[in-house]
Amino acid sequence: SGTTRPVRILQYVQRCANHGDALGVISAIDSFCSTVEWAMNVGDKKGEILDSVVLETRPRWVLELGTYCGYSTVRIARLLPPGARLVTIEMNPHYAQVAKEMIQHAGLEAQSSSASSPCSQAEQTSSNATIPPSSHQLRWRLQEALLYTTLHCLQLPLQLFSRTPQNPFTSSPLLTPTERQQGSQTCKVELLVGSSSVLIPQLKKKLDIEKFDLVFIDHWKVSYLPDTKLLEECGLLTTGSVLLADNVVCPGAPDYLQYVRNSPQYQSQYFQSYLEYLQVEDGLEKSVFLG
Ligand code: SAM
Ligand code: MG
């Protein structure tokens, strides 16, 4: 059809959710991805666990690794108190552009951005209709979920296939400094486009961050452990910082689990749930950094 899945998800949201309705955006994505096309959002079931961890942690600074279309970004940002900030990192520029518009549609972003849209139109309707899937679509959805799972289980170094931006901070931040100033009242989310391993060491200087109270880890599974160690090395964690890692069972991140469960520096707990939009076990691992 000439569009990408993230764009189709965005277009559906723009049709079905009112501007500024973060919960409407979340429900529209869940509805689309459970009935039309599967996608790798944390999803509704694990999303509830994510919500409760955000609410109990009451973070001032949040880091998200892996934005994709911005589903979990919106989920987290809507629960943040005034003054809290969410930094989300995505290395794929196309996904990042979609996420930027998703975040704007949810009203969690300053309205002054002038960047071009990957979607030509955003017709507003008030309906929250769900589209029933055809058997072909269902089969395709399952095949894709399997492929995703297999790729990750084989631990293919998928990063190798992704474009690495030259200068991640000038490539495409969600807001220009002027936009950031103009939208400072409502702007909670900062989307950085680039690889986490390049961006994490730059965060303190570039964003004036001390420590993260909560880190949602949901990028490629082979990067969970090296990026956790990088966060430690860069002094971005403090006593009580919470790491919440998605997909620790499916596709799985065994080296990461082994580390947080056995290191005396973490107190770790597993939350059993289901893989997004499927009846397959998956879960989140919550690990509190003890310093
Ligand atoms: N957190 C999202 C949600 O629940 O809505 C889903 C994120 S998706 C599972 C993983 C994303 O991480 C992909 O969009 C991929 O491009 C991105 N990614 C993978 N490795 C990355 C890295 N090292 N740095 C930045 N982004 C990365
Ligand atoms: Mg995930």
Side-chain angles (χ1 to χ4, degrees):
S1 62
T3 61
T4 63
R5 173 169 323 180
V7 166
R8 291 191 291 276
I9 295 173
L10 177 63
Q11 287 174 334
Y12 184 79
V13 166
Q14 289 173 331
R15 278 202 311 274
C16 298
N18 290 323
H19 192 279
D21 177 10
L23 203 54
V25 168
I26 293 164
S27 320
I29 299 175
D30 284 331
S31 163
F32 186 85
C33 294
S34 52
T35 59
V36 185
E37 289 184 81
W38 184 90
M40 57 181 167
N41 321 118
V42 68
D44 47 357
K45 294 209 177 83
K46 287 182 292 176
E48 281 179 19
I49 300 169
L50 171 62
D51 289 357
S52 61
V53 171
V54 173
L55 290 172
E56 80 186 5
T57 308
R58 286 192 277 138
R60 164 81 179 79
W61 281 102
V62 186
L63 174 65
E64 173 177 72
L65 302 178
T67 319
Y68 190 46
C69 299
Y71 173 89
S72 52
T73 314
V74 169
R75 223 170 156 125
I76 297 167
R78 84 189 205 285
L79 299 174
L80 296 180
R85 299 273 301 278
L86 167 58
V87 180
T88 183
I89 294 180
E90 173 54 56
M91 71 181 174
N92 180 312
H94 175 66
Y95 296 168
Q97 181 59 38
V98 166
K100 173 181 170 164
E101 299 197 28
M102 196 71 81
I103 295 159
Q104 281 172 346
H105 196 82
L108 294 163
E109 226 298 279
Q111 300 306 302
S112 49
S113 171
S114 59
S116 66
S117 163
C119 295
S120 44
Q121 88 286 48
E123 37 167 317
Q124 287 280 130
T125 70
S126 56
S127 75
N128 224 0
T130 55
I131 304 167
S134 65
S135 64
H136 167 76
Q137 282 171 328
L138 275 173
R139 203 167 53 238
W140 165 234
R141 216 170 83 210
L142 265 171
Q143 276 171 357
E144 264 216 295
L146 269 174
L147 176 67
Y148 165 77
T149 304
T150 314
L151 282 175
H152 282 87
C153 289
L154 291 171
Q155 306 234 316
L156 282 178
L158 290 171
Q159 297 98 319
L160 294 179
F161 300 107
S162 301
R163 207 149 54 98
T164 310
Q166 264 39 3
N167 183 340
F169 275 96
T170 55
S171 58
S172 167
L174 186 59
L175 295 174
T176 65
T178 324
E179 288 169 343
R180 207 172 287 140
Q181 245 177 2
Q182 288 167 345
S184 60
Q185 293 309 310
T186 52
C187 176
K188 284 181 173 179
V189 182
E190 184 115 30
L191 174 68
L192 301 178
V193 186
S195 162
S196 52
S197 59
V198 174
L199 290 173
I200 288 170
Q202 303 177 8
L203 289 174
K204 274 203 176 187
K205 269 192 192 154
K206 301 279 182 177
L207 290 181
D208 208 21
I209 288 164
E210 278 299 315
K211 317 274 180 186
F212 286 107
D213 307 301
L214 176 63
V215 183
F216 181 52
I217 306 176
D218 190 24
H219 53 344
W220 300 149
K221 311 314 155 194
V222 287
S223 301
Y224 282 25
L225 184 56
D227 282 350
T228 297
K229 290 181 174 167
L230 195 55
L231 287 168
E232 291 171 10
E233 280 162 29
C234 295
L236 287 162
L237 302 180
T238 185
T239 306
S241 291
V242 172
L243 306 185
L244 187 66
D246 189 27
N247 307 107
V248 295
V249 168
C250 188
D255 59 343
Y256 174 81
L257 275 192
Q258 145 89 17
Y259 179 71
V260 289
R261 288 179 181 174
N262 295 303
S263 163
Q265 284 198 294
Y266 291 92
Q267 192 167 35
S268 210
Q269 190 184 354
Y270 174 62
F271 291 85
Q272 201 254 304
S273 185
Y274 293 92
L275 182 65
E276 47 266 32
Y277 316 117
L278 291 169
Q279 287 170 359
V280 171
E281 185 187 336
D282 187 25
L284 295 159
E285 185 83 5
K286 177 190 169 188
S287 312
V288 182
F289 186 67
L290 304 173

